[in-house]
């Protein structure tokens, strides 16, 4: 930086080493981010190697998870994670985008500020407390009212077959939905705020109603940013551990029914990692962790790139 | 119906739809909040703050060890995580070339999106396995790993807001760059930096997953850094999934205390943020 070169000469004259030491410390700490990230990847890969060598691709396609027989297949967990996250996002995305539009375009600024603050409070609640509410309040409610209703009315569909347990895939989907809504909403809000005022005014001037303005001027402009927000929400949903563990029932089965208990990748780690029975068992859990790490790395990198492209675009627009 | 009437109807319909979406988002918040307050107030007492959990089946008991354990874990994680985050941020905003800074920034963002349970597993392999046991130290280390990227990014954003003229004035007076960074740049950004720190603390205060196989939890008091330690979120988890009514009560009381602390932290953070906005 220019400031640094300017002080360089001064430093040479006075022979000060303080700057050098200080810079060294900041460099060290800044690069610790890269070290942590690399360390995570290396450690997780290293610890997974026994399981990778033993099972190969069968690990992701196998269905039995038996610590006694030392046979490990992670498909039920992958299935549980993928299905619960995607369904939660399908429900959360329209709600979040709708709320973000309401905050930025429809209600007065003060009301919008209050709604935004409430949504942020939702994000501040720890995951274990969502789980507590989920398992002690929501799951019994699902078991007594929602699930019997679904079975009675839609029981002929494979998605609503079986007995009402309360703790189930459905409970996990609901809890995840509640938990990812604040993230998607607040990021979408930022994205929509970056839409240039002139663009909106142009649409209004051409005679568009407010909804037409939102549809033709706001949403197309924020498209990739909203996609980034949704992908970030996906990353959060896939990695969510405590709340899901408490409401999903923790039963490693692949079932089309939303009413039956299931299991996710983070949940099996949370439940079994502290009490592994063998080296291979620990390694298998590590491999699940590694899959989770790689998936979330890719998801987050993708989301950040999308969001950066939007905010950078907004800055360029402002300069013009 | 004319086209105009149809367009207006559509406009009203979509507005209502978005209002409905907002309601659907806020209703769970209100439900959860009301439940925590109602159940928490019903089961909280002085005992909760001064006793450790009683064995199963016995009524009463509290989370004193969990509260102190959490406070201790947070303090330890902060002493490790906050300096690293702040000094790293100083590098990004005061020294770093744009390419290197961009890479570190990107990695920090990605790092803060990694599930916290993975952080716990890494802390397990790095500390628990070599030290041959679950420990408070390992738990604090895992929490620090979560803190660093948050503190780094928020601090950097705040340092970037400090006008260059301040730095130049200080340098022109002959203050070396390192003292300028600490005494002028960092100090003028301090309220914003505090906001970031408080938010990071609020985040780790509720973390459960990374403690599961590092701090492990403890029914009793912990006397050594190398022993397992109790933490509030862990206790809430264990009590919530237990089949006992008494333990459920303790879990609700714990949830009320934890949520109160979190909201207090984020309100204080907001207050700092607002002060910054006014100045």
């Amino acid at each position: 930086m220019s400031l640094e070169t300017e002080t360089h000469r001064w430093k040479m004259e006075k022979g000060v080493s303080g700057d050098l030491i200080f810079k060294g410390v900041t460099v060290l700490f800044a690069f610790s981010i890269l070290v942590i990230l690399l360390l995570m990847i290396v450690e997780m890969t290293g610890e997974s190697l026994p399981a990778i060598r033993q099972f190969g691709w069968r690990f992701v396609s196998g269905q039995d998870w038996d610590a006694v027989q030392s046979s490990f297949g992670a498909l039920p967990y992958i299935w549980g994670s993928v299905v619960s996250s995607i369904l939660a996002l399908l429900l959360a995305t329209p709600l979040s985008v709708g709320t973000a539009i309401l905050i930025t375009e429809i209600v007065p600024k003060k009301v919008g500020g209050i709604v935004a603050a409430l949504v942020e409070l939702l994000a501040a609640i720890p995951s274990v407390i969502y789980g507590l509410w989920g398992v002690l309040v929501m799951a019994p409610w699902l078991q007594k009212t929602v699930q019997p209703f679904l079975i009675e009315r839609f029981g002929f569909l494979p998605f609503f077959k079986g007995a009402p347990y309360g703790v189930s895939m459905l409970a996990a989907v609901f809890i995840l939905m509640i938990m990812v809504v604040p993230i998607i909403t607040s990021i979408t809000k930022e994205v929509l705020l970056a839409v240039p005022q002139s663009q909106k005014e142009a649409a209004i001037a051409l005679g568009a109603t407010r909804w037409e303005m939102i549809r033709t001027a706001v949403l197309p402009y924020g498209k990739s940013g909203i996609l980034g927000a949704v992908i970030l929400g996906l990353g959060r949903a896939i990695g969510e551990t405590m709340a899901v563990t408490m409401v999903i029932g923790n039963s490693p089965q692949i079932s089309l029914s939303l009413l039956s208990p299931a299991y996710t990748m983070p949940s099996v780690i949370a439940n079994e990692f502290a009490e592994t029975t063998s080296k291979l068992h620990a390694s298998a859990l590590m491999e699940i962790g590694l899959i989770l790490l790689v998936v979330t790395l890719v998801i987050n990198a993708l989301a950040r790139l999308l969001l950066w492209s939007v905010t950078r675009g907004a800055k360029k627009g402002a300069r013009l | 119906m004319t086209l105009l009437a149809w367009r207006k109807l559509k406009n009203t319909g979509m507005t209502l739809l978005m209002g409905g979406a907002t309601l659907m988002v806020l209703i769970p918040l209100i439900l959860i909040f009301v439940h925590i307050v109602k159940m928490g107030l019903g089961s909280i007492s002085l005992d909760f703050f001064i006793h450790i959990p009683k064995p199963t089946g016995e009524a009463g008991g509290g989370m004193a060890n969990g509260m102190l354990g959490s406070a201790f874990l947070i303090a330890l994680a902060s002493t490790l995580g906050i300096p690293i985050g702040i000094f790293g941020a100083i590098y990004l905003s005061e020294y770093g070339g744009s390419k290197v800074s961009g890479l570190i920034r990107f990695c920090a963002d990605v790092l803060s999106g990694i599930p916290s349970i993975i952080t716990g597993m890494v802390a397990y392999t790095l500390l628990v396995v070599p030290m041959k046991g679950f420990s408070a130290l390992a738990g604090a280390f895992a929490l620090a790993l979560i803190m660093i990227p948050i503190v780094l990014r928020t601090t950097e954003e705040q340092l970037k807001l400090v006008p260059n003229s301040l730095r130049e004035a200080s340098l022109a007076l002959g203050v070396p760059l390192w003292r300028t960074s600490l005494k002028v740049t960092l100090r003028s950004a301090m309220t914003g930096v505090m906001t970031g720190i408080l938010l990071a603390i609020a985040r780790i205060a509720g973390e459960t997953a990374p403690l599961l196989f590092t701090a492990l939890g403890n029914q009793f008091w912990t006397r050594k850094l190398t022993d397992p330690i109790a933490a509030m979120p862990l206790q809430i988890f264990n009590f919530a999934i237990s089949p006992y009514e008494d333990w459920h009560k303790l879990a609700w009381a714990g949830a009320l205390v934890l949520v109160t602390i979190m909201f207090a932290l984020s309100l204080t953070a907001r207050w700092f943020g607002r002060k910054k906005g006014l100045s």
Side-chain angles (χ1 to χ4, degrees):
Chain A
M1 282 195 69
S2 62
L3 286 177
E4 199 190 351
T5 46
E6 269 166 41
T7 47
H8 187 67
R9 199 167 45 90
W10 186 85
K11 233 164 32 190
M12 289 292 103
E13 282 165 9
K14 304 262 174 176
V16 187
S17 58
D19 268 334
L20 221 63
I21 296 169
F22 185 73
K23 188 180 174 185
V25 172
T26 63
V27 169
L28 195 71
F29 285 176
F31 278 81
S32 72
I33 293 283
L34 303 184
V35 174
I36 293 170
L37 199 58
L38 279 179
L39 204 63
M40 280 187 164
I41 297 169
V42 170
E43 281 291 322
M44 297 298 290
T45 313
E47 297 289 320
S48 310
L49 277 179
I52 295 175
R53 282 211 195 93
Q54 179 85 24
F55 302 114
W57 288 107
R58 268 184 305 137
F59 187 76
V60 287
S61 63
Q63 290 198 32
D64 47 306
W65 185 269
D66 191 339
V68 183
Q69 305 274 334
S70 276
S71 160
F72 298 102
L75 192 61
Y77 310 110
I78 298 172
W79 163 269
S81 280
V82 169
V83 172
S84 61
S85 307
I86 288 185
L87 288 181
L89 273 168
L90 283 180
L91 294 175
T93 304
L95 293 182
S96 312
V97 175
T99 307
I101 292 176
L102 184 110
I103 291 172
T104 53
E105 309 293 338
I106 294 177
V107 296
K109 248 195 181 143
K110 266 212 171 132
V111 182
I114 293 172
V115 175
L118 283 174
V119 171
E120 268 172 39
L121 278 189
L122 208 54
I125 299 176
S127 133
V128 69
I129 291 180
Y130 280 108
L132 173 74
W133 179 78
V135 71
L136 294 183
V137 181
M138 190 186 71
W141 174 69
L142 286 177
Q143 186 174 20
K144 278 184 207 116
T145 53
V146 178
Q147 293 183 343
F149 169 81
L150 288 172
I151 292 168
E152 198 189 330
R153 288 293 173 85
F154 304 104
F156 58 90
L157 293 170
F159 312 116
F160 303 113
K161 275 202 163 56
Y165 287 112
V167 289
S168 57
M169 177 66 92
L170 189 69
V173 169
F174 280 163
I175 263 303
L176 278 178
M177 176 195 85
I178 298 173
M179 294 182 74
V180 297
V181 155
I183 301 168
I184 305 181
T185 307
S186 57
I187 299 173
T188 303
K189 190 192 83 186
E190 298 300 322
V191 169
L192 295 184
L193 285 176
V195 177
Q197 195 64 25
S198 54
Q199 184 134 336
K200 294 189 244 174
E201 283 163 4
I204 296 284
L206 286 171
T209 63
R210 185 157 55 194
W211 167 246
E212 285 163 349
M213 180 267 284
I214 292 166
R215 199 173 53 87
T216 58
V218 176
L219 289 182
Y221 194 92
K223 212 169 42 194
S224 53
I226 296 173
L227 187 64
V230 172
I231 296 177
L232 217 54
L234 180 67
R236 173 80 194 267
I238 281 198
E240 177 45 51
T241 310
M242 301 319 294
V244 173
T245 306
M246 291 160 90
V247 301
I248 203 167
N250 297 330
S251 156
Q253 50 176 310
I254 297 177
S255 162
L256 272 182
S257 174
L258 294 176
L259 305 184
S260 59
Y263 221 148
T264 66
M265 294 193 276
S267 300
V268 70
I269 298 173
N271 283 330
E272 295 188 3
F273 194 69
E275 293 154 356
T276 49
T277 51
S278 63
K279 279 250 163 70
L280 197 60
H281 187 192
S283 178
L285 289 168
M286 278 289 182
E287 191 176 349
I288 290 187
L290 180 66
I291 297 171
L292 204 57
L293 177 67
V294 172
V295 170
T296 46
L297 276 179
V298 171
I299 286 176
N300 276 287
L302 200 66
R304 292 299 171 184
L305 289 176
L306 276 169
L307 286 169
W308 278 18
S309 72
V310 173
T311 43
R312 207 172 294 159
K315 268 182 204 146
K316 266 181 201 151
R319 232 176 274 148
L320 288 172
Chain B
M1 202 189 318
T2 63
L3 183 61
L4 184 63
W6 166 241
R7 285 172 57 204
K8 280 189 171 166
L9 188 71
K10 208 167 153 191
N11 184 42
T12 317
M14 291 313 288
T15 308
L16 286 177
L17 219 62
M18 282 176 276
T22 310
L23 274 185
M24 297 262 290
V25 167
L26 293 182
I27 285 173
L29 169 75
I30 295 159
L31 280 177
I32 292 172
F33 195 66
V34 166
H35 251 104
I36 291 173
V37 172
K38 199 178 75 183
M39 303 296 288
L41 284 180
S43 28
I44 211 162
S45 63
L46 185 62
D47 277 4
F48 179 82
F49 294 98
I50 53 175
H51 285 296
I52 63 172
K54 290 247 172 82
T56 24
E58 280 181 54
M63 284 192 184
N65 57 345
M67 276 184 270
L68 211 68
S70 274
F72 180 72
L73 285 171
I74 292 169
L76 205 58
S78 298
T79 36
L80 185 64
I82 293 174
I84 294 184
I86 288 183
F87 280 90
I90 290 179
Y91 174 77
L92 291 191
S93 90
E94 311 295 311
Y95 292 98
S98 67
K99 268 213 177 118
V100 180
S101 298
L103 178 69
I104 292 174
R105 218 169 277 141
F106 183 72
C107 287
D109 280 348
V110 170
L111 199 60
S112 57
I114 287 177
S116 54
I117 191 153
I118 306 271
T119 318
M121 293 180 103
V122 172
Y124 175 87
T125 56
L126 288 179
L127 286 181
V128 176
V129 175
M131 290 169 64
K132 295 195 172 60
F134 303 101
S135 65
L137 219 54
F141 177 70
L143 293 182
L145 288 186
I146 296 171
M147 254 185 131
I148 292 171
I150 307 176
V151 175
L152 181 116
R153 288 294 275 133
T154 48
T155 306
E156 192 216 345
E157 293 296 325
Q158 296 303 323
L159 291 178
K160 271 200 264 173
L161 295 178
V162 176
N164 248 335
S165 52
L166 273 182
R167 297 186 180 93
E168 282 160 3
S170 167
L171 291 172
L173 288 171
V175 182
L177 186 55
W178 70 276
R179 284 189 71 108
T180 304
S181 299
L182 283 181
K183 299 273 172 169
V184 178
T185 319
L186 185 61
R187 187 169 282 180
S188 20
M190 211 52 211
T191 45
V193 173
M194 279 305 291
T195 309
I197 289 174
L198 286 177
L199 288 178
I201 289 178
R203 162 88 191 267
I204 61 164
E207 281 290 355
T208 318
L211 299 179
L212 283 171
F213 18 81
T214 51
L216 192 70
N218 195 335
Q219 286 285 347
F220 309 100
W221 294 102
T222 301
R223 290 201 170 71
K224 279 188 300 191
L225 272 177
T226 47
D227 280 346
I229 193 169
M232 269 190 99
L234 278 176
Q235 287 185 327
I236 295 174
F237 172 62
N238 287 327
F239 291 170
I241 58 171
S242 77
Y244 312 108
E245 197 62 32
D246 289 328
W247 280 11
H248 289 173
K249 277 188 157 182
L250 277 182
W252 282 113
L256 179 63
V257 173
L258 197 56
V259 166
T260 311
I261 294 172
M262 310 282 277
F263 283 2
L265 279 173
S266 50
L267 282 180
T268 323
R270 262 164 195 280
W271 179 73
F272 269 119
R274 196 159 302 160
K275 226 170 83 176
K276 169 90 188 166
L278 283 176
S279 60

